[in-house]
Amino acid sequence: MCGIVGIVGNGAVAGPLVEALRRLEYRGYDSAGIATLEHGRLARRRASGKLVNLEARLREEPLAGAIGIGHTRWATHGRPNETNAHPHATARLAVVHNGIIENFRELKHELEAKGVRFESETDTEVVAQLVSHAMDQGLGPVEAVAACLPRLRGAFALGFLFAGHDDLLVGARHGAPLAIGYGAGETYLGSDALALAPFTDALTYLEEGDWAILSRSGAEIRDIHGAVVQRPRQTIATQAYRIDKGNHRHFMAKEIHEQPEVVGRTLSHYVDLAQGRVALPEPLPFDFAKLSRLNITACGTAYYAGLVARYWFEQIARLPVEIDVASEARYREAPLERDGLTLVISQSGETADTLASLRYAKSQGQHSVCVVNVPTSTIARESSVALPTLAGPEIGVASTKAFSCQLTVLLCLAIAAGRARGTIDAAEERRLVDALITVPGLMADALARENEIEGLAREIAKARDVLYLGRGTSYPMAMEGALKLKEISYIHAEGYAAGELKHGPIALIDESVPVIVIAPHDAVFEKTVSNMQEVAARGGRIVLIGDAKGAAEHGLDTLATVTMPDLDPTVAPIVYAVPIQLVAYHTAVVMGKDVDQPRNLAKSVTVE
Ligand code: F6R
């Protein structure tokens, strides 16, 4: 959450800073700001709301200067107004910050007692004042940062710009990602490779506790003890970081439509088509056959992917699964057996709670595997094995293509586990792989239902509450459907296990509550029909997302049926992700909501 960028450049940097912030807006869009040095003096422009507001501000009052820092904010401490917008500054320096300074109150009291006055409600301003105060005591900029960093508690990435120092930026990483980019006579700082992609493909990721001194000629990196260290320089395939909407109105629409392609690409990374078997991209440093259970942890949509995978691991590999949301898993102090396995799932690879759960599992002596979309992310680097989802950058805040690619990788992993544990034979593996191979084509068929779903969305848009029901793997899909709808349309929605309805939620049913039932014709279809009957008997309006066979069998009046292609029920969640996402997308569009940047959300949740 929050994106930061810095440039020590050759020409005017205000434009490039804004361009980088545009690529970081997925990390937050409550406010934005930049600061540069104009003839050695700090100058800044800030605006509440989205980046367009800052751009308008800069058109009225441009900023000159060949060195600067920028920020896009997801508010944690203090309202999203201009006063709380970054960069925060004193006469000596400006700072941008991603993360939380946990001991900011204590530091603020200390500084106030020394006569320092604060302007904003943020934790970040404490950093600006603390370093400035150290400089008042006679320290130079680099020494002042070095003296203050050990006093900060929490998870953060910081970028500093100093008045009178037009060839110096300082960046620091402690729990939130930060990369350094190298250009021709220019050096950059950024929260991720995406931000720096327009400028350079040569990057170094700072490691935990690292801080760096940047000038036009490069960067000196120091570790937590202040020792100069060398960190590897990587070349990033910048074409993979193109961000445009193509012919689509929103990134979310583009990303939904990309799914046949990216799921196909992901599959080809995990499946040996000639042999009809799963072939993981790298050997696993543990034996699935020796595991007594698998622990899975993740947040949000990635957690729902884990819930679907629980059915796969248990049914295909007969491997018991323990799963929890990462914000709980990290503090539950669950006993995890040494040499057991923890699997974490994350699109960004930076989610603070997921990362903390991974670290907890490692501290218990567990092996760790992550399924991750950003291969250079912290979670990817800290896991013993990183299994990539090849979805490409996901810009829409609501996760779509990353989710279907996560499911694809997880099913491949469950098949590999089944083979290792001897619970499936070669013929069954081939059958499952054959089913997987049909998925991209089936997703394309599902996308062809878009017009029908658009019509349905006009009905859903009138509702105040929507229930989603499903059984088996369709149960977590119901939760995912509800999450997708609520996060972008702001309609209240809940996903329930269909059999759980009569234990409470059925009290909500009347003609005003659409009930979206996700039910491929699988082993539990008939049971779900009984639950649909309970809804119908109470005047509930049913929308069935199912197949032609199921639609012909249930014999109930429905508000609408989205007829999905026939498929092997094992792969249904991956294909059914498409109509679920389209329902949410079109409902939000009909309602005129900001689909790609829904209120209060950010894509990379680096605070707990
Ligand atoms: C919902 C959504 C979020 C994320 C969650 C985890 O559409 O995108 O629920 O799934 O914040 O993020 P990652 O996968 O980056 O760990």
Side-chain angles (χ1 to χ4, degrees):
M1 324 205 98
C2 298
I4 68 179
V5 61
I7 303 178
V8 202
N10 290 316
V13 291
L17 285 172
V18 169
E19 154 109 43
L21 290 181
R22 192 169 300 117
R23 293 165 154 263
L24 286 172
E25 227 185 348
Y26 75 90
R27 299 175 78 94
Y29 31 83
D30 285 335
S31 65
I34 63 174
T36 62
L37 287 189
E38 287 184 328
H39 307 293
R41 277 196 310 274
L42 285 167
R44 68 178 165 161
R45 303 284 181 269
R46 301 179 295 167
S48 64
K50 294 193 176 183
L51 190 58
V52 285
N53 299 349
L54 176 67
E55 289 177 281
R57 189 75 213 287
L58 283 163
R59 274 194 296 277
E60 283 160 21
E61 291 178 83
L63 269 190
I67 180 168
I69 53 178
H71 188 268
T72 177
R73 176 168 189 242
W74 187 83
T76 58
H77 295 59
R79 277 159 296 150
N81 55 24
E82 185 173 329
T83 313
N84 290 329
H86 300 215
H88 288 282
T90 67
R92 293 187 176 280
L93 63 93
V95 65
V96 285
H97 164 218
N98 162 27
I100 291 180
I101 308 296
E102 285 171 357
N103 58 337
F104 84 101
R105 271 190 204 85
E106 180 187 319
L107 294 170
K108 193 168 178 176
H109 290 152
E110 178 187 316
L111 289 161
E112 279 173 339
K114 289 177 181 160
V116 174
R117 299 178 71 87
F118 285 82
E119 278 178 5
S120 75
E121 303 159 294
T122 65
D123 51 342
T124 309
E125 195 186 353
V126 166
V127 181
Q129 295 290 0
L130 191 69
V131 176
S132 207
H133 185 70
M135 291 176 73
D136 291 344
Q137 313 303 303
L139 296 183
V142 173
E143 291 71 29
V145 173
C148 294
L149 284 178
R151 300 213 52 206
L152 305 178
R153 278 206 319 270
F156 52 81
L158 295 162
F160 296 91
L161 170 71
F162 298 91
H165 294 265
D166 73 355
D167 193 23
L168 172 70
L169 287 182
V170 178
R173 176 199 165 127
H174 184 98
L178 196 59
I180 292 170
Y182 307 94
E186 297 199 329
T187 311
Y188 315 94
L189 197 63
S191 295
D192 63 22
L194 193 61
L196 303 184
F199 318 129
T200 181
D201 60 0
L203 294 189
T204 295
Y205 283 90
L206 294 186
E207 292 183 11
E208 270 312 296
D210 283 356
W211 56 288
I213 303 155
L214 280 69
S215 66
R216 288 184 179 82
S217 58
E220 180 180 290
I221 302 175
R222 302 195 183 173
D223 69 9
I224 200 161
H225 309 293
V228 177
V229 285
Q230 301 299 323
R231 302 290 185 215
R233 210 183 260 216
Q234 309 178 10
T235 305
I236 306 291
T238 41
Q239 70 280 14
Y241 290 94
R242 272 189 51 227
I243 49 164
D244 61 63
K245 294 180 197 154
N247 295 326
H248 296 275
R249 202 167 142 196
H250 300 102
F251 280 109
M252 185 176 177
K254 176 181 172 243
E255 289 160 4
I256 291 173
H257 282 264
E258 275 173 357
Q259 290 180 110
E261 184 191 332
V262 296
V263 166
R265 191 191 305 156
T266 302
L267 262 180
S268 57
H269 202 65
Y270 289 89
V271 165
D272 179 338
L273 291 174
Q275 302 288 326
R277 69 199 300 268
V278 166
L280 297 180
E282 57 178 301
L284 301 173
F286 56 84
D287 184 354
F288 266 119
K290 298 209 171 101
L291 296 180
S292 58
R293 69 174 51 250
L294 167 65
N295 303 298
I296 303 182
T297 182
C299 300
T301 288
Y303 168 69
Y304 295 140
L307 282 179
V308 172
R310 172 166 67 179
Y311 291 82
W312 289 332
F313 280 105
E314 293 192 341
Q315 289 167 5
I316 298 171
R318 309 300 299 149
L319 178 59
V321 172
E322 180 80 39
I323 174 163
D324 203 353
V325 288
S327 52
E328 289 301 316
R330 65 180 291 186
Y331 292 118
R332 243 177 57 219
E333 295 178 24
L336 301 178
E337 61 190 16
R338 180 159 282 283
D339 291 327
L341 176 63
T342 287
L343 170 65
V344 301
I345 309 162
S346 176
Q347 186 285 127
S348 62
E350 301 294 349
T351 302
D353 286 322
T354 310
L355 178 59
S357 305
L358 167 69
R359 289 179 178 159
Y360 173 72
K362 286 172 70 178
S363 75
Q364 302 294 295
Q366 291 240 310
H367 297 287
S368 54
V369 171
C370 68
V371 173
V372 73
N373 197 40
V374 180
T376 49
S377 61
T378 312
I379 287 176
R381 281 180 284 131
E382 293 196 12
S383 302
S384 9
V385 175
L387 298 176
T389 47
L390 306 183
E394 192 180 63
I395 306 298
V397 162
S399 190
T400 52
K401 61 177 181 168
F403 175 66
S404 50
C405 288
Q406 284 162 355
L407 293 176
T408 304
V409 175
L410 290 165
L411 181 49
C412 289
L413 194 61
I415 295 171
R419 185 206 308 147
R421 294 169 68 83
T423 52
I424 54 170
D425 60 15
E428 177 63 0
E429 178 164 0
R430 180 171 278 276
R431 193 191 67 74
L432 289 167
V433 166
D434 285 348
L436 262 170
I437 292 167
T438 62
V439 166
L442 292 168
M443 291 183 110
D445 294 347
L447 284 166
R449 304 274 170 229
E450 185 157 14
N451 285 347
E452 278 167 51
I453 294 175
E454 241 180 297
L456 166 65
R458 278 189 275 278
E459 286 301 310
I460 304 286
K462 295 178 199 152
R464 213 186 54 185
D465 306 285
V466 178
L467 285 184
Y468 284 74
L469 301 181
R471 274 179 185 263
T473 52
S474 297
Y475 164 38
M477 294 305 288
M479 289 193 272
E480 168 61 5
L483 174 65
K484 220 77 313 167
L485 185 69
K486 71 183 129 191
E487 71 179 322
I488 59 170
S489 73
Y490 318 144
I491 295 175
H492 171 243
E494 298 294 340
Y496 277 101
E500 189 65 12
L501 191 68
K502 53 190 153 307
H503 300 288
I506 201 162
L508 295 172
I509 306 273
D510 63 23
E511 347 23 87
S512 69
V513 181
V515 180
I516 301 182
V517 182
I518 300 160
H521 199 281
D522 58 14
V524 288
F525 179 73
E526 275 178 27
K527 308 280 173 202
T528 309
V529 172
S530 306
N531 305 126
M532 286 163 65
Q533 256 148 1
E534 292 155 12
V535 171
R538 284 150 186 92
R541 296 185 308 154
I542 297 167
V543 174
L544 175 66
I545 303 182
D547 47 36
K549 198 166 169 203
E553 263 177 32
H554 66 69
L556 294 165
D557 276 346
T558 56
L559 172 64
T561 298
V562 180
T563 313
M564 297 290 288
D566 285 342
L567 41 65
D568 183 316
T570 308
V571 299
I574 318 178
V575 180
Y576 277 55
V578 171
I580 285 167
Q581 295 159 355
L582 286 174
V583 167
Y585 172 74
H586 283 293
T587 305
V589 170
V590 169
M591 295 173 79
K593 302 297 184 206
D594 189 343
V595 172
D596 284 332
Q597 296 183 330
R599 69 185 180 203
N600 303 340
L601 293 174
K603 190 137 187 85
S604 185
V605 186
T606 53
V607 294
E608 61 174 295

